[in-house]
Amino acid sequence: MIRYGADYNPEHWSEEVRREDLKLMAEAGVTMVTAGIYSWAAVEPRPGEYDFGWFDDVMAGLAGAGIQVCLATMTASPPPWLSRLHPEILPVRADGVRLSPGARQQFCPSSPVYRSHAARLVTELATRYAGHPALAMWHVGNEFGCHIRACHCDESAADFRRWLEERYGTLEALNDAWTTTFWSQHYAEWEEILPPRVAPTFPNPAQQLDFHRFSSDALLECFLTEQRVLRRVTPDVPITTNFVGLVQKALDWHTWTPHEDVVSLDSYPDPYDPRAHVEAAFAYDLVRSTKDQPWLLLEQAPSAVNWRSRNSPKPPGAMRLGSWQAIAQGADAVLFFQWRQTSGGAEKFHSAMVPHGGRDTRTFRETSSLGRELARVPELAGTRVRADVALLHDWPSWWGLELDSHPASLEQLETHLAHYAPLFDANVTCDVVHPARDLSRYKLVVVPNLYLLEQAAADNLRAYVDGGGHLLVSYFSGIVDGCDRAYLGGHPAPLRDILGLRVDEFWPLDDSIALDFADGTTGSGTIWAEWIELEGASAVASFGSGELIGRPAITRHEFGDGVAWYAGTRPDLGPLLGRVCAEAGVTPVLEAPPGVQAVVRHGEESAYLILLNHGTEPVTVDLPRPAPDLLTDPSRPVREVRLAPRGVAVLKG
Ligand code: GLA
């Protein structure tokens, strides 16, 4: 079963409304709600004084209606009494301002007081609902790092020092790792080390990088504090937490997901952006690849959000299309934020399955219809997406890339999407994986921009190409080690033998530059250029204008049994990737009209081809072999599928 439902905040509503909720949930095909995310103040109105009676009724009602509960641990917004008694739990910004309560997520991740109160509440909750028939899953916290990515208070400073001591062991090792000989930054005592607070100019980059790592770990420790309680009290109940979508810089998902049983993502593509589904697709491939198993779309908007400066509703059909997109890319659940739209509070203009207008609304009709539709395809749950191409993504490299004082500012997600979009448009299914992961199953590995490259990851790439893999690396990759120290001896030092070249200088562009391809065609490059010396590679394209005229721009090198391509500029990536894919034997899922996304979910006995028309025109898609569309007539195989704009088909073959 593909689980279907929403965030449920029962404390907003009277018992009468809650009774109606159960009826409407049945009508809408809701099978799971994630309940109680912001209920802390309602279940513990004063320290140690619990009021769970009303929540018991909610749980009983949901169990009676056959609805599963992904029970929130209620710790995402500590009640006012906690910060009144312990103002030191409030987070402090880099400029020293301590934030006030009155919104949500008002806690310092390193606060022992916050963590112990959270653990106490979770113990109460887990003990009370252990074995409850509605309890299906735990939802720990909520969107860790969404508002508070890091805290710079004195408690965090002490925690940072503890973390650094564990990482480096000695001050000498830390001084070396942080290159503190530079600008007289040598530390003589641990107490001298602080978080990177606002400083006269660029703070030490290695310190900033480690503070990113530490801040992700501090939030992870909050998650683990709760997870340990849950594992002890309810060892058989799976645990998740919802990552902020589309892709979140603050948390290194690769260090988090080993601690989860199932991975969840929240996703809010902007309806005003006609290419928002591509960015969403990237996030879905990434979140799926972190655990290589189905994931949960834990929150999305049924229609408009309230937090952009202009918020468009989702036009008719867009919510269904976006939901099916997540399923196509491996989701086994589609839930919304939220079930019922509140009349007050900061999110009163955020859409809900039951809007202010109630049941007789377009949103309720569309979400109920999707609920009924998903109930018809239970066999999709548990099936897997398979990819021949991997794109490499690494959080420390992202953090390092976007530090200050570089040859030019580069944005990691822009670079990723530039490489991902042509593959997406061609219906080449991608995984998005960690650079040290086993790559042997992929025909092609794409490295859009891996500025920071640990030696182990470089060795992984070498073994991959040596063993016959095809690799495409773009500029400003393999530049620094894990401590943001440039590798010496010519860039990208750890990849030079694989790529067969040496980069002598970076020449970031403020305009485009002409490219002359060896096959006689021409093109242009943008963003970046480099002075490249060939050391075995051959030039596929050379610069055709500017100071670098005649010098290599794009190269190809045979290494071991494989091939390594290098792009020292940003060419038109569609044709380049097309050529690299063809040589690597990578083929699309389907030749489909533009705007149609095609993904296959593989089951043990059947495969399901999911077609999604993101375009604004109706299209006809020819199928490789006759197959029935499970959403229209499962008994009648068809040779072609007609898709309306925003249309979806699920073909079983
Ligand atoms: C996230 C949060 C929800 C809500 C929505 C609004 O999903 O987890 O609590 O704030 O955003 O879009």
Side-chain angles (χ1 to χ4, degrees), residues 160 178 185 187 193-197 203-212:
F160 185 37
W178 285 14
Q185 290 173 353
Y187 292 104
I193 302 172
L194 295 170
R197 294 174 176 156
N204 180 306
Q207 175 197 15
Q208 294 190 66
L209 182 61
D210 271 345
F211 193 63
H212 275 292

Side-chain angles (χ1 to χ4, degrees), residues 7 37-38 104 142-143 242 266 268 299 305-307 337 347 350:
D7 272 24
I37 296 169
Y38 301 105
R104 64 176 175 183
N142 190 66
E143 289 198 341
N242 49 339
D266 298 350
Y268 294 95
E299 295 180 2
V305 300
N306 64 301
W307 41 262
F337 176 82
E347 296 187 314
H350 195 293

Side-chain angles (χ1 to χ4, degrees), residues 556-620:
R556 181 182 176 283
H557 184 229
E558 289 175 15
F559 179 83
D561 292 335
V563 179
W565 299 72
Y566 184 72
T569 184
R570 167 80 58 80
D572 183 354
L573 282 165
L576 180 63
L577 279 161
R579 184 168 165 186
V580 172
C581 280
E583 214 183 286
V586 172
T587 49
V589 169
L590 192 75
E591 297 289 348
V596 174
Q597 182 185 0
V599 191
V600 176
R601 284 191 67 155
H602 297 268
E604 273 172 22
E605 275 152 24
S606 308
Y608 303 84
L609 169 65
I610 303 181
L611 300 175
L612 307 139
N613 184 6
H614 294 284
T616 50
E617 299 296 325
V619 290
T620 300

Side-chain angles (χ1 to χ4, degrees), residues 227-400:
Q227 185 246 36
R228 284 189 282 264
V229 173
L230 300 174
R231 287 266 187 262
R232 180 167 46 79
V233 185
T234 56
D236 300 327
V237 180
I239 294 174
T240 191
T241 186
N242 49 339
F243 289 137
V244 178
L246 297 165
V247 181
Q248 178 183 21
K249 189 172 174 185
L251 305 188
D252 182 346
W253 294 357
H254 289 132
T255 59
W256 281 63
T257 54
H259 304 288
E260 294 182 79
D261 298 305
V262 53
V263 188
S264 302
L265 182 71
D266 298 350
S267 177
Y268 294 95
D270 185 352
Y272 280 124
D273 176 358
R275 296 283 287 169
H277 60 283
V278 184
E279 202 179 333
F282 177 81
Y284 301 164
D285 285 343
L286 171 58
V287 84
R288 182 192 66 247
S289 305
T290 56
K291 255 185 132 54
D292 218 2
Q293 67 183 38
W295 55 281
L296 313 177
L297 176 60
L298 212 58
E299 295 180 2
Q300 64 165 342
S303 191
V305 300
N306 64 301
W307 41 262
R308 294 192 174 99
S309 53
R310 275 184 321 142
N311 300 295
S312 170
K314 291 185 176 172
M319 178 280 299
R320 173 177 180 250
L321 176 66
S323 303
W324 273 109
Q325 182 188 346
I327 296 168
Q329 294 188 241
D332 267 5
V334 170
L335 276 72
F336 297 96
F337 176 82
Q338 57 185 327
W339 167 248
R340 196 183 268 277
Q341 191 171 19
T342 50
S343 70
E347 296 187 314
K348 58 183 166 295
F349 292 114
H350 195 293
S351 57
M353 288 178 79
V354 184
H356 287 155
R359 186 179 169 280
D360 187 16
T361 47
R362 175 173 75 88
T363 302
F364 188 73
R365 280 191 290 278
E366 282 194 36
T367 49
S368 309
S369 146
L370 178 61
R372 287 191 292 275
E373 186 169 71
L374 295 184
R376 298 211 300 271
V377 285
E379 61 200 272
L380 276 178
T383 58
R384 305 295 176 106
V385 175
R386 291 188 202 139
D388 284 340
V389 178
L391 193 143
L392 302 191
H393 171 71
D394 178 45
W395 267 268
S397 184
W398 181 2
W399 297 328

